[in-house]
Amino acid sequence: MNSKTNDTGAAPAATSDTVFTDQLADQLEFHWTTQLRPRLDGLTADEYFWSPAPDAWSVRPRGTSTAPVQVGAGGFAIDYAFPEPDPPPFTTIAWRLGHVIVGVLAMRNAAHFGAPAASYDTWEYAGTAAGALDQLETQLDAWLAGVRGLGEDGLLVPVGEKEPYPDLPMADLVLHIHRELIHHLSEVCLLRDLHLHTNGAVR
């Protein structure tokens, strides 16, 4: 993924020739390349599975969870419950990355950009931090390519029945997904910091 920046390292400013699908993609790509991805370098297994609170939801080897529901297609599955408890359980980095990879990106890539079908039930969740980051980058690349391919007119097309609010324009979904990515991946970075300062580790 190559972020488009100017000589100052900032994302390029809009001009009269700007295609706003590019602006939307550039915003997220710049944030990922310059801030989020460097913070995820060297993510360890200890950090990936670390639970600072009891009974946290995570990604676990199939059959080892005490959560009410475990879903996934491979050797690892993700914890869930239906309906979601109140308050919801704390979630590990592994769980948060799984949610972003599948629920935020892969399912939307499938619904709107022709990617293979994806769901929480059928996904093969990564049993390693490196595997999860590879999945995340693959899905993020697909999402950014899809956003760039929308064009100005594509941003105005209703999202359709595959989304909870089918009459909203695609622009609303793009903004929502970008908020979700920045929000959840910032949580992952904060959990890394908490692990570092709680366990006295050296990064």
Side-chain angles (χ1 to χ4, degrees):
M1 208 180 304
N2 296 315
S3 179
K4 297 180 180 179
T5 61
N6 59 30
D7 292 339
T8 68
T15 70
S16 59
D17 297 322
T18 294
V19 177
F20 279 98
T21 47
D22 284 342
Q23 286 292 108
L24 289 166
D26 286 347
Q27 178 206 37
L28 181 61
E29 189 172 14
F30 177 77
H31 185 60
W32 168 258
T33 302
T34 63
Q35 298 177 349
L36 284 172
R37 188 60 184 88
R39 292 288 309 277
L40 298 175
D41 282 346
L43 183 67
T44 67
D46 282 347
E47 293 171 318
Y48 184 59
F49 292 114
W50 180 60
S51 174
D55 301 318
W57 282 354
S58 191
V59 170
R60 309 177 195 276
R62 182 173 300 281
T64 64
S65 176
T66 59
V69 178
Q70 244 197 338
V71 296
F76 284 78
I78 196 167
D79 295 335
Y80 269 104
F82 302 100
E84 183 179 274
D86 183 20
F90 194 86
T91 55
T92 65
I93 288 177
W95 193 97
R96 291 169 200 243
L97 288 179
H99 168 64
V100 167
I101 292 162
V102 182
V104 178
L105 287 172
M107 291 170 62
R108 267 43 185 266
N109 287 334
H112 301 287
F113 299 136
S119 71
Y120 287 112
D121 289 344
T122 60
W123 193 259
E124 293 196 14
Y125 294 92
T128 66
L133 293 179
D134 284 346
Q135 289 184 349
L136 177 59
E137 292 206 62
T138 296
Q139 295 302 321
L140 186 56
D141 282 345
W143 171 259
L144 289 171
V147 170
R148 292 188 192 282
L150 285 171
E152 300 288 334
D153 292 341
L155 288 175
L156 303 178
V157 173
V159 294
E161 297 298 329
K162 293 181 180 179
E163 297 294 338
Y165 302 99
D167 294 331
L168 290 179
M170 192 68 183
D172 282 39
L173 178 65
V174 172
L175 291 170
H176 168 67
I177 294 301
H178 291 190
R179 285 193 301 267
E180 284 282 281
L181 289 168
I182 292 170
H183 161 66
H184 285 301
L185 294 176
S186 296
E187 292 176 335
V188 170
C189 293
L190 181 60
L191 276 175
R192 284 201 82 190
D193 289 342
L194 184 62
H195 180 273
L196 176 70
H197 291 283
T198 300
N199 294 281
V202 176
R203 186 178 299 163

